Amino acid sequence: RKAKKNSYIRWLIMIVSFVILFIAAYLEFRYDLLEINGFLCWLLAILVFSWGLTICYASYVRKHACKMSLEERHDFNLYLYHHKYWKNPILANQALLNNAIILVKMKQYEQAAQALDAMHIEKCKAKEMKLIYFLRIGIQASKMMQEITRLPNWWKTGFR
């Protein structure tokens, strides 16, 4: 729900900025208030204003995303991955890597391994590759620890 609201507000910012651009263009061509330099300055100011609003809203979303629980952040990332990021492999990798980290924190190792398998490895940077490698080692170690805890007591302590 929050991710959908995020998308709507970004579109609203874009629509408002385009409406302001069209109003400025209409007033300029209708009443010839400014010369071309003044009109270009108005256009530049409107574009910078809309860009600034988008950045402010993105920082607001990031601040509130840090306060979400792990499940909410996982669902938020998953929604963004399926509705926005799947087109861009670099953004998709970031979303999947964040989800893998969240799933490891939630101790859902199978799903974390699936998220890592879905990544586009050829688009990863060295830092991300190190993190992927570390997560895979952690997932395998946790699976081994789960198998060890399932063994009977006589196997752990030996024959006495």
Side-chain angles (χ1 to χ4, degrees):
R1 213 179 261 171
K2 291 180 182 181
K4 201 177 265 192
K5 179 182 168 187
N6 177 22
S7 178
Y8 291 147
I9 291 176
R10 284 183 186 249
W11 275 106
L12 182 67
I13 291 171
M14 296 282 282
I15 290 169
V16 167
S17 63
F18 278 122
V19 166
I20 292 172
L21 277 173
F22 286 129
I23 290 172
Y26 172 75
L27 291 175
E28 173 58 30
F29 292 124
R30 175 84 168 128
Y31 299 111
D32 199 23
L33 299 173
L34 302 169
E35 294 181 14
I36 191 70
N37 289 340
F39 179 67
L40 292 177
C41 287
W42 265 102
L43 289 180
L44 182 64
I46 292 168
L47 290 174
V48 168
F49 176 71
S50 63
W51 181 62
L53 279 178
T54 305
I55 289 175
C56 287
Y57 186 69
S59 66
Y60 169 79
V61 168
R62 182 175 179 171
K63 178 183 173 185
H64 285 284
C66 292
K67 295 178 183 177
M68 292 181 195
S69 67
L70 289 176
E71 292 85 12
E72 287 177 332
R73 284 193 355 221
H74 174 262
D75 294 341
F76 185 78
N77 280 339
L78 201 59
Y79 177 85
L80 291 177
Y81 171 73
H82 285 295
H83 288 87
K84 284 186 164 188
Y85 295 161
W86 63 271
K87 295 177 186 176
N88 187 343
I90 295 171
L91 292 176
N93 281 348
Q94 288 177 352
L96 288 171
L97 190 59
N98 286 339
N99 271 349
I101 292 169
I102 290 169
L103 288 168
V104 166
K105 288 179 182 177
M106 292 171 29
K107 297 182 180 177
Q108 297 177 358
Y109 302 113
E110 293 295 325
Q111 290 179 352
Q114 290 174 358
L116 292 175
D117 290 338
M119 291 180 67
H120 302 278
I121 300 297
E122 65 276 359
K123 298 287 184 179
C124 291
K125 296 179 182 175
K127 186 178 178 182
E128 293 170 343
M129 291 297 289
K130 288 178 187 177
L131 188 55
I132 291 168
Y133 184 68
F134 176 71
L135 284 172
R136 288 194 187 274
I137 289 173
I139 290 169
Q140 289 300 322
S142 65
K143 286 181 183 177
M144 289 176 60
M145 289 302 292
Q146 286 176 351
E147 289 177 12
I148 289 174
T149 56
R150 289 186 198 143
L151 292 175
N153 277 340
W154 61 268
W155 182 267
K156 294 180 209 171
T157 57
F159 297 107
R160 291 186 187 174

